[in-house]
Amino acid sequence: DAYGMLMQFSSEYGGHPIDITTGPSEEDVVYTPYFKGFADYISRLSYVMSEGVFKANTLLYYPITSCWEGFQPLYTEKLAKIDASFREIAHTLLCGQVDYDIFDDASAENVLGDTSCYQVAILPCITNLPAETAQALVRFCERGGWVFSFVDDFYASLPQDDEKVKGYWKRLTKCPTYKKIVSVEELMSYYDEKQLWELKLDRRNKHIKYQHRLIEGGDLYFVINESEQEVTHVLTIPTTGNAYRLDAESGEVHSLACVEKIGETLVPLHLAGFGSALLYFKRKEQEELPIQNIEVLLPDGRVENTLKDWMEYGLGSYSGAITYVIQFEWNEEGTLMLDLGAVYEIADILVNGKQFDRLLWRPYQTNLTDVVQKGMNTLSVTVTNTPSNELTAYKKQSGLFGPIRLIYERR
């Protein structure tokens, strides 16, 4: 980033290099006429980028136990393979506009415990895995997180945990959100297919990198162009709201013309060679509609009113479908979104008796604006689980767990 900033100022001020030197005499201290502008740029950028918290939806596993196992006084082929796999994935993610956090065995339980923060965990080429990390990956995947693995199998870091890790691996590979990956190209295709991105360009550009921060009331993206060629793109952000470009050189704020679609905003992006941009998306205020009533229609004729795992209804060995009936009143003018929360596995949605949508994976969200009517509305959500509950001894989570949210934005 610092290199890009320096090159940007260099190109904008006549192509002269920024002359910053230090030494014991006054003549050797900074004497460039462009230093104040550069210092102001760094100062504003540092202030803005210290606001809020860093946000990425992807976790990349750092295989420290596999590295220790492969370590020898002389560099080994096994260690080189692990290192090359990790570096290739990391490079491909950044060049494909996917930012990420790195996690290891010490942090696995904490970071994989919250699927509301992270959507994806990636396993590079590894040879072994601690039982605790394997368990955390299984829980993450069973709650709807995606796990992309570049390995077919691995064994426990400790011999006494071999059977335990094999059991976790078997559970992991049966999850619908687990995918075995054979190449980085296949990995990136899943990001497009499952819409797992946080920032998307109209076409991929390996020179465009970004960092995303959540700040009060909105999202901040720092986007840089690492090439000397100017670029123009259409940028898509998975949120709706007003878009602004913050000029770190002048301190000015410019409103951006943007196009809003369902759950996303499209804005034009032009960057000079080695240029950068601070983009701020101010989220629209959202409100929730109260849900009047929920009924769970069980296959044996019983009716429940609370969302639970089907096992808690006494249906642990049941594989099939259960319908949830939700009633709400709609008298607003604006956009209405349905968020079902956690679902295992497939949700078919009827609105006022008419088939509307089928949701196969996270996020289980859909736009109801064009199908709801004024007054009382009825949603029927039919959830279908996996056949494994009936066919195997292993019983997976099943059902609609929620929380169910009806979110609207006023026009």
Side-chain angles (χ1 to χ4, degrees):
D1 290 358
Y3 172 73
M5 297 171 199
L6 285 166
M7 293 304 296
Q8 179 183 9
F9 269 80
S10 175
S11 62
E12 291 183 4
Y13 290 102
H16 303 295
I18 294 179
D19 188 3
I20 302 177
T21 59
T22 57
S25 64
E26 291 186 6
E27 290 77 10
D28 291 328
V29 183
V30 175
Y31 50 85
T32 173
Y34 314 115
F35 177 71
K36 185 181 185 304
F38 177 70
D40 288 343
Y41 178 87
I42 296 295
S43 176
R44 293 189 185 104
L45 192 63
S46 299
Y47 172 77
V48 173
M49 293 303 293
S50 65
E51 294 294 298
V53 294
F54 173 76
K55 174 70 170 65
N57 71 346
T58 295
L59 289 165
L60 178 57
Y61 176 63
Y62 186 77
I64 188 65
T65 54
S66 298
C67 291
W68 277 114
E69 182 199 47
F71 176 77
Q72 293 181 11
L74 296 177
Y75 203 67
T76 66
E77 183 178 343
K78 183 186 292 185
L79 191 57
K81 183 179 179 181
I82 294 171
D83 182 64
S85 172
F86 182 86
R87 289 176 179 273
E88 182 185 26
I89 295 168
H91 178 72
T92 302
L93 290 174
L94 290 180
C95 290
Q97 289 75 59
V98 177
D99 204 359
Y100 60 89
D101 275 345
I102 293 174
F103 78 104
D104 59 11
D105 302 314
S107 60
E109 186 174 352
N110 287 334
V111 297
L112 292 170
D114 186 3
T115 50
S116 64
C117 184
Y118 296 102
Q119 288 183 281
V120 181
I122 300 174
L123 294 177
C125 178
I126 59 175
T127 57
N128 64 73
L129 199 67
E132 295 78 10
T133 303
Q135 184 182 36
L137 284 165
V138 169
R139 290 174 176 170
F140 176 77
C141 205
E142 289 182 340
R143 283 194 294 266
W146 289 91
V147 173
F148 297 136
S149 173
F150 282 78
V151 289
D152 291 313
D153 198 1
F154 47 79
Y155 52 86
S157 300
L158 299 174
Q160 60 266 33
D161 289 336
D162 274 346
E163 290 304 315
K164 188 184 297 184
V165 169
K166 286 179 182 178
Y168 290 142
W169 179 251
K170 187 175 181 180
R171 285 172 59 184
L172 185 64
T173 55
K174 287 184 177 181
C175 290
T177 51
Y178 168 86
K179 299 295 178 184
K180 170 65 174 65
I181 304 296
V182 297
S183 67
V184 290
E185 291 77 19
E186 183 185 14
L187 173 67
M188 298 312 296
S189 72
Y190 274 112
Y191 273 87
D192 291 334
E193 180 184 338
K194 310 301 182 185
Q195 296 188 335
L196 299 172
W197 42 269
E198 286 189 303
L199 174 151
K200 183 173 71 171
L201 301 179
D202 52 344
R203 61 190 184 282
R204 284 210 167 95
N205 185 335
K206 66 179 182 180
H207 300 297
I208 304 298
K209 309 291 192 303
Y210 79 95
Q211 186 181 110
H212 178 199
R213 297 187 72 83
L214 294 178
I215 61 176
E216 185 176 356
D219 297 81
L220 182 71
Y221 290 84
F222 178 48
V223 187
I224 62 171
N225 173 19
E226 293 186 333
S227 76
E228 62 183 9
Q229 304 296 325
E230 65 178 25
V231 295
T232 299
H233 286 282
V234 175
L235 192 73
T236 303
I237 302 296
T239 187
T240 56
N242 299 318
Y244 302 89
R245 182 164 179 161
L246 315 180
D247 191 332
E249 296 178 36
S250 66
E252 297 175 349
V253 179
H254 305 281
S255 179
L256 291 176
C258 60
V259 176
E260 285 191 18
K261 292 187 176 181
I262 298 173
E264 58 187 38
T265 303
L266 283 68
V267 296
L269 175 69
H270 179 81
L271 293 173
F274 301 112
S276 63
L278 280 166
L279 304 177
Y280 173 60
F281 295 85
K282 184 178 181 181
R283 290 190 293 270
K284 290 184 176 179
E285 291 188 10
Q286 297 180 331
E287 299 181 55
E288 285 195 39
L289 283 180
I291 294 173
Q292 305 289 343
N293 188 45
I294 297 178
E295 291 185 342
V296 186
L297 310 182
L298 302 180
D300 57 8
R302 289 179 293 148
V303 178
E304 293 278 348
N305 299 105
T306 55
L307 303 179
K308 302 177 183 177
D309 191 313
W310 291 359
M311 193 175 300
E312 296 184 50
Y313 298 136
L315 300 172
S317 298
Y318 174 71
S319 291
I322 290 179
T323 297
Y324 300 75
V325 180
I326 303 154
Q327 292 186 318
F328 66 94
E329 192 170 356
W330 172 250
N331 293 303
E332 306 294 337
E333 294 293 335
T335 302
L336 180 63
M337 296 289 296
L338 170 66
D339 184 349
L340 294 176
V343 178
Y344 301 94
E345 304 291 336
I346 299 172
D348 288 286
I349 301 171
L350 281 74
V351 181
N352 298 320
K354 296 181 180 180
Q355 181 67 40
F356 173 62
D357 201 357
R358 169 172 284 185
L359 304 177
L360 303 175
W361 46 67
R362 294 176 66 240
Y364 290 89
Q365 300 173 348
T366 189
N367 192 320
L368 301 178
T369 306
D370 295 331
V371 293
V372 291
Q373 61 192 20
K374 294 293 184 182
M376 193 61 67
N377 290 263
T378 301
L379 287 176
S380 296
V381 180
T382 300
V383 174
T384 305
N385 71 338
T386 171
S388 68
N389 285 22
E390 184 175 344
L391 301 176
T392 69
Y394 170 58
K395 311 306 179 188
K396 294 187 63 177
Q397 284 183 307
S398 300
L400 171 55
F401 287 73
I404 301 172
R405 302 173 67 211
L406 291 162
I407 306 164
Y408 71 93
E409 295 176 354
R410 298 182 187 275
R411 287 203 181 106

